[in-house]
Amino acid sequence: MTRSTFFLTPLLLLFASILHGVLSFTNEPPGRDPISIDKVRAAERAVSLTSDNFDELTKGKLVFIKFFSPHCPHCKEMGNAWNELADYYQQPDNNKNEDILIGSIDCTNSPAGKALCARFKIMGLPTILYGDANFGGVYLEEYRGDKTFADFQQFASKELVPKCNAGNLDACAADERVEIEYIAMGYRELEAKIKQVEQKEKETKVFYADEFGKLQDKYNEHLAEKTSYVTRVKDDVRMIKEVIALKG
């Protein structure tokens, strides 16, 4: 072996190793190789949500959230429309109160993305949830409409509005607020509320017992008046009949 061959052999082995690694990526099924997946993830313009930041970023927000996978064909088909929607609501004129969030969750991103998809029991991709994100997203519902920008934007303008729930009492009517407030209370507040309601019940019973007593007294008074009047009428009728008999 010559001196030059001795030095070239390790270099050739290193080159072969690198080439094998590159080919192993590019020989993956289309869209599933790491380079393609990274490109898809990087192209997302919606807010990236994970189990680490979900509660913080969505608190007090009305949200439209896409659960996706970078190598899911249907997810890719709606990708541009979703990015348009994200761009639309990032414009101050379209989100004046900054209360609307367009988000994306990569269910293949382990562990933070996978954990969040498991939390919401996502079974198929893409899945889109929308609504009020208070209380960790318990009010979120599934979007089942078409997946174009126009459809997304029209739906969002109609549905992403404040609605009455325990996390948004300001949107509740007076009768709704009473019931909802109970849900928003902690255990101690609920126990105190029970005592308050039970005390009110006792006071109500005492009040109506007193009122019933007054009504009973009034009834007895009127009954005595009626009895006296009927007695007088009967006496008058008897007297009139006696006079008629005497005149006959």
Side-chain angles (χ1 to χ4, degrees), residues 183-238:
I183 299 175
M185 290 180 177
Y187 288 112
R188 290 185 179 180
E189 290 178 298
L190 289 171
E191 289 173 357
K193 190 66 179 179
I194 290 174
K195 292 179 180 178
Q196 179 185 347
V197 172
E198 288 177 339
Q199 180 61 32
K200 183 67 176 177
E201 179 187 13
K202 291 178 182 177
E203 293 173 356
T204 300
K205 287 180 177 179
V206 171
F207 171 80
Y208 282 104
D210 183 56
E211 289 297 307
F212 178 78
K214 293 177 182 178
L215 289 172
Q216 187 65 52
D217 291 341
K218 198 70 175 176
Y219 171 79
N220 293 338
E221 179 183 341
H222 286 305
L223 180 61
E225 291 177 356
K226 185 197 81 168
T227 302
S228 176
Y229 176 77
V230 169
T231 300
R232 289 198 307 272
V233 168
K234 287 181 177 180
D235 288 342
D236 287 343
V237 169
R238 180 174 53 79

Side-chain angles (χ1 to χ4, degrees), residues 46-93:
V47 176
S48 178
L49 298 171
T50 67
S51 56
D52 297 324
N53 66 14
F54 182 88
D55 292 333
E56 177 185 356
L57 295 182
T58 62
K59 184 177 181 180
K61 301 285 187 180
L62 299 164
V63 301
F64 216 177
I65 300 173
K66 175 184 72 172
F67 294 79
F68 78 104
S69 163
H71 45 71
C72 157
H74 294 299
C75 301
K76 291 178 181 178
E77 288 176 6
M78 61 167 284
N80 289 335
W82 197 252
N83 280 336
E84 284 186 66
L85 185 70
D87 292 342
Y88 178 85
Y89 279 104
Q90 285 168 7
Q91 298 297 320
D93 289 343

Side-chain angles (χ1 to χ4, degrees), residues 50-51 67 105-109 111-125 129:
T50 67
S51 56
F67 294 79
I105 298 171
D106 181 358
C107 291
T108 66
N109 181 19
K114 285 185 177 180
L116 200 53
C117 294
R119 168 176 161 182
F120 286 101
K121 298 179 174 60
I122 302 302
M123 303 300 293
L125 299 173
L129 301 183

